[in-house]
């Protein structure tokens, strides 16, 4: 079974995907975390997003994700980068790197390999449209950007970070992700659409679970 949770930035896709994975005892992969880890690797190696990436370089990137006892971790060449990939520099650069065809192919391979091993839930932007168009269940989450920024601000819990700058980053990322030529952020025709803006985490969870179980 493959479940795809796509949607706009900061709509709680990964929170929902982890809850569903736990409830159904299936695997979980965060596709955005792959793009973020690759971005971190390329920034560290001073490779800008306009450069062509050859196979030699890509073969130096080894990423693995683990979801165990409710805890998600991601490793880049053996280093735990779970927190580092959420940093500001990666967040503002990731969309530029994620539109590169060589990077997308790299991530698609990882996701498709994982789907062969067990039932899986994956969150991202193009899981139900491009990576797994035949997924068993598809969801698309969206919400007003102001509400998303407020929620992310609360989650970050750092008063030095302004809500306005979070909102700007969210809007810019959504704009870049939905206007790119390759695998843009868009709702799959057959996805269940959920406006998460006025629902609690548990209400969204119940709505998703109901569609899968009944
Ligand atoms: O957690 P949040 O929704 O803010 O973002 P994310 O899932 O960590 O994704 C980070 C970025 O990776 C997105 O803004 C996209 O540019 C890219 N991405 C993508 O292109 N395709 C995916 N399937 C997942 C993420």
């Amino acid at each position: 079974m493959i479940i795809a949770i796509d949607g706009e930035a900061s709509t709680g896709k990964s929170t929902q995907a982890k809850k569903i994975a736990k409830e159904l005892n299936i695997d979980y992969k965060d596709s955005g975390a792959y793009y973020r880890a690759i971005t971190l690797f390329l920034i560290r190696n001073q490779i800008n997003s306009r450069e062509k990436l050859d196979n030699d370089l890509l073969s130096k990137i080894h990423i693995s994700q683990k979801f165990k006892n409710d805890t998600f971790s991601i490793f880049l060449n053996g280093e735990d980068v779970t927190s580092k990939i959420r940093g500001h520099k990666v967040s503002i650069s990731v969309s530029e790197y994620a539109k590169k065809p060589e990077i997308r192919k790299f991530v698609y391979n990882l996701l498709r390999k994982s789907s062969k091993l067990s039932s899986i839930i994956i969150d991202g932007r193009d899981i139900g449209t491009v990576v797994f168009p035949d997924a068993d269940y598809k969801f698309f989450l969206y919400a007003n950007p102001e509400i998303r920024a407020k929620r992310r601000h609360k989650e970050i819990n750092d008063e030095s970070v302004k809500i306005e700058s979070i909102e700007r980053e969210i809007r810019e990322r959504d704009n870049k992700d939905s206007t790119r030529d390759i695998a843009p952020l868009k709702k799959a025709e057959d996805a269940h659409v959920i406006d998460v803006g006025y629902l609690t985490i548990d209400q969204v969870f119940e709505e998703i679970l109901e569609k899968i179980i009944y």
Side-chain angles (χ1 to χ4, degrees):
M1 177 172 69
I2 298 174
I3 305 172
I5 303 212
D6 288 308
E8 298 174 334
S10 295
T11 42
K13 301 178 296 291
S14 66
T15 303
Q16 296 300 335
K18 282 186 257 187
K19 279 173 77 73
I20 296 286
K22 187 179 172 209
E23 178 76 20
L24 304 180
N25 197 19
I26 61 176
D27 196 14
Y28 161 61
K29 293 282 181 245
D30 178 340
S31 66
Y34 281 126
Y35 292 103
R36 284 174 180 269
I38 296 168
T39 300
L40 179 65
F41 175 91
L42 295 171
I43 290 174
R44 281 177 172 178
N45 287 280
Q46 291 164 1
I47 296 164
N48 75 48
S49 58
R50 288 175 302 280
E51 282 180 52
K52 176 131 182 58
L53 310 174
D54 58 26
N55 284 335
D56 233 28
L57 176 71
L58 291 172
S59 70
K60 295 193 173 82
I61 308 177
H62 300 278
I63 307 174
S64 60
Q65 295 193 4
K66 226 174 50 191
F67 181 61
K68 230 178 170 181
N69 304 329
D70 272 359
T71 308
F72 171 82
S73 322
I74 177 163
F75 299 85
L76 169 63
N77 294 331
E79 174 191 352
D80 187 338
V81 292
T82 315
S83 324
K84 287 185 194 115
I85 61 165
R86 306 282 157 202
H88 184 64
K89 179 85 179 118
V90 171
S91 295
I92 58 167
S93 320
V94 58
S95 295
E96 283 303 321
Y97 288 96
K99 64 185 188 195
K100 296 180 78 64
E102 3 9 338
I103 293 183
R104 301 211 75 78
K105 199 169 141 209
F106 185 94
V107 174
Y108 293 173
N109 282 337
L110 290 170
L111 294 173
R112 288 179 181 141
K113 257 189 220 154
S114 301
S115 75
K116 296 210 164 55
L117 302 174
S118 66
S119 288
I120 192 166
I121 181 161
I122 305 171
D123 74 311
R125 302 290 187 287
D126 58 344
I127 307 304
T129 49
V130 177
V131 195
F132 296 108
D134 297 326
D136 301 85
Y137 300 97
K138 299 180 187 177
F139 299 90
F140 188 88
L141 312 189
Y142 74 100
N144 166 321
E146 244 173 84
I147 296 177
R148 287 186 275 148
K150 271 192 199 138
R151 286 179 175 174
R152 182 61 48 115
H153 186 252
K154 211 167 150 199
E155 182 186 76
I156 295 172
N157 194 20
D158 177 351
E159 281 308 318
S160 69
V161 182
K162 294 260 170 304
I163 294 190
E164 294 73 27
S165 80
I166 299 177
E167 189 178 328
R168 203 174 321 118
E169 185 241 301
I170 283 176
R171 284 181 186 273
E172 273 171 23
R173 213 139 51 81
D174 274 354
N175 184 32
K176 280 186 187 154
D177 292 344
S178 46
T179 54
R180 69 184 176 213
D181 293 334
I182 177 168
L185 162 68
K186 71 165 192 238
K187 181 191 106 45
E189 298 263 316
D190 50 349
H192 301 292
V193 178
I194 307 176
D195 177 355
V196 300
Y198 301 96
L199 298 174
T200 63
I201 289 175
D202 284 341
Q203 285 171 325
V204 178
F205 172 68
E206 288 303 328
E207 198 168 324
I208 294 174
L209 193 62
E210 199 175 288
K211 290 275 186 298
I212 298 169
I213 290 181
Y214 299 108

